[in-house]
Amino acid sequence: MSTQVKLAVIYYSSTGFSAQIAQEISDTAVKEGVEVRLLRAPELAPEAAIAANDAWAAHVAAGAHIPVAGPDDVEWADAVIFGTPTRFGNVSAQLKQFIDTLGGLWAQGKLANKVYSGFVTTATAHGGQESTLLALYNSIHHFGGVIVSPGYTDPVKFVDGNPYGTSHIDGQGQNAIGDQTRNAARHQALRVIQLTAALKAGLSG
């Protein structure tokens, strides 16, 4: 890649589905020669709540090696891809809390002119996938960021069916991440990388 891209993939995941999409995006970007930081939002739930859910507790243990995101990671990045499960049609509290810590960077104009994109998981079909991504993108408008959604720019999106970002229905933990979701995640990663490189080249030209 002629223009080096720095990508932060920042996600929250309780039982691992969003984490798997984040990993797919990260792996795709690394293969393209991108400098990637794969990061998780800090957990806010009490330990008792996590311990009461076996899948949640197992994922917390399995993902403990993933670094926790900080505002400096967003400042470092040329592009940021956020991921979250939906919570009543909205961004999870954990990811929203992280985004709310970026006020200092926003006040300095350091969130502007970066590329942003998002992905989402839900337990059920029509469970708030589009509304969650649109809610996420509201923050990006305030940043002065450039939203790069996948749109219907590749045949895989007509299978995935969500132009706003990669999405997965986990079926209350019963539906594994499959090729449909992985193909969509890879396409989203490549599109973000391509347009970020073009934006960087244009701004520096």
Side-chain angles (χ1 to χ4, degrees):
M1 183 176 294
S2 58
T3 302
Q4 181 66 45
V5 170
K6 295 180 291 186
L7 171 66
V9 183
I10 301 174
Y11 70 92
Y12 174 71
S13 185
S14 55
T15 57
F17 291 95
S18 293
Q20 290 181 59
I21 297 172
Q23 188 69 61
E24 191 71 43
I25 289 171
S26 176
D27 290 348
T28 299
V30 169
K31 290 176 183 176
E32 294 296 311
V34 171
E35 188 176 353
V36 180
R37 292 184 183 179
L38 177 63
L39 306 156
R40 57 188 171 92
E43 181 59 82
L44 302 177
E47 291 184 9
I50 297 170
N53 183 317
D54 290 343
W56 195 352
H59 175 65
V60 168
H65 66 287
I66 302 294
V68 173
D72 57 314
D73 295 303
V74 178
E75 182 176 6
W76 165 86
D78 301 310
V80 181
I81 301 179
F82 288 116
T84 180
T86 189
R87 292 292 184 263
F88 301 116
N90 212 321
V91 177
S92 64
Q94 289 85 347
L95 184 63
K96 183 60 168 63
Q97 171 71 9
F98 172 74
I99 290 171
D100 287 347
T101 69
L102 303 178
L105 293 178
W106 168 81
Q108 300 174 67
K110 291 183 177 180
L111 301 179
N113 301 334
K114 298 177 184 288
V115 166
Y116 298 88
S117 197
F119 62 89
V120 66
T121 60
T122 59
T124 61
H126 315 295
Q129 293 182 344
E130 294 177 357
S131 65
T132 297
L133 289 172
L134 290 172
L136 171 65
Y137 294 157
N138 283 339
S139 296
I140 310 309
H141 292 301
H142 286 255
F143 293 173
V146 178
I147 298 171
V148 174
S149 56
Y152 291 108
T153 55
D154 187 275
V156 300
K157 292 308 297 177
F158 290 93
V159 179
D160 166 75
N162 190 340
Y164 301 95
T166 300
S167 57
H168 178 73
I169 302 165
D170 68 49
Q172 302 287 356
Q174 300 304 307
N175 298 333
I177 300 286
D179 288 343
Q180 173 177 306
T181 302
R182 293 187 186 280
N183 290 339
R186 286 192 287 267
H187 172 63
Q188 184 170 6
L190 292 173
R191 182 164 164 78
V192 166
I193 293 163
Q194 179 186 35
L195 293 178
T196 303
L199 180 64
K200 282 192 70 175
L203 288 173
S204 63

